[in-house]
Structure formats: structure tokens, C-alpha cells
Amino acid sequence: MTALSLTINGTPHGPIEVRDDLSMNDFLREVLGMTGTKFGCGAAQCLSCVVIVDDPAGTRTTQPTCVAPAVSFNGTHIRTVEGHAKAGQLTALQRAFVAHYAFQCGYCTAGFLNEAQVLLERLEAAPIPRAGLEQAILDALDGHLCRCSGYVRYHEAVRDVVLAEPSRYLL
């Protein structure tokens, strides 16, 4: 057993004693009752389980939770799909996902949403030329698997968010 302390969606959690072999996915779902992060393949291949890890230096990445022990997140700040909407209001990215019906069964949606959010934040910090947008979206969402093959709709939703505010994301 290890004492785990971390911040999730801005809220501190812990210390909580957890088994060393407890996955982060199981910690979120079973210990904290945060069921937005899904368990897909169990091998970190489909990426439906990714959460956003915020580095103290201001960078952010996504990390699969199905194979990562919860204790490996000790001391970190992470964001889950539950942390996107504020005061019941969907973000522009969430609204675009809905408008494009970028999900069918919804199983992969949390992973796509978290990855797309990281892309938007990266573009905001370092805008790119318009000509590179399609490749940036492809690169960011590459590796995420959708059982219902809604890839085009996810890509369209992200593109629409960027193009709705080009001065924020593009050179």
C-alpha cells in the first residue's frame, strides 16, 4: 500500500492508501467514482483512457490510465473529461463534438476530447500556419481508436474550433 496524493481537475485528493498494483483507471472509476475515463483495451493501445497531465513547467501531455499504476501519478496535477465543462457550460470543443455528432457509442470520446484539448492549448501557446492545421490534427489524434469509426467527425470538430478563432491558434 502507498499513500497517493494528487490534484484532479483542480481539486486535491489524498493522501489515500492504494494498492501498488491499482491502475489509475481503476482508482478514478472505483475509488473516486469518476466514470468519464473509460477502460478500453487494457493495453494502452486505444487511448480511450487518457487523462491530461499538467506539468509544473506549463506543458501538458496525455497519459493512458489503464496500464499505469495510480501511484505513478503521485504528486501530479491531472485533468479528466469531467473537468472540461465549467458551471454546467460545455467548452467550445465539447460543443463542437456535439454539433458534429463526433461520437456514436461515446466510449472513445473522453480520450479524443482530452487529446484535442491538449492540441488546442499547444496551438494557443505556439500558433502554426493554417497550412499545417490538418497535419497537426492528424498527428494529435493519431493512435486514438474509435470502435464506431467516427474519426472524420472528431477531426472536423477540432478543425471548426480552431477556425472559429484563427487568431488564437494560427499564424
Side-chain angles (χ1 to χ4, degrees), residues 6-9 24 28 51-53 73 76-80:
L6 72 162
T7 301
I8 303 172
N9 301 325
M24 185 59 172
L28 291 169
V51 296
I52 301 170
V53 179
F73 287 83
T76 63
H77 291 251
I78 69 168
R79 288 180 275 162
T80 68

Side-chain angles (χ1 to χ4, degrees), residues 37-60:
T37 302
K38 303 299 183 207
F39 181 88
C41 66
Q45 297 298 307
C46 72
L47 304 178
S48 65
C49 68
V50 299
V51 296
I52 301 170
V53 179
D54 292 312
D55 182 90
T59 60
R60 74 263 325 136

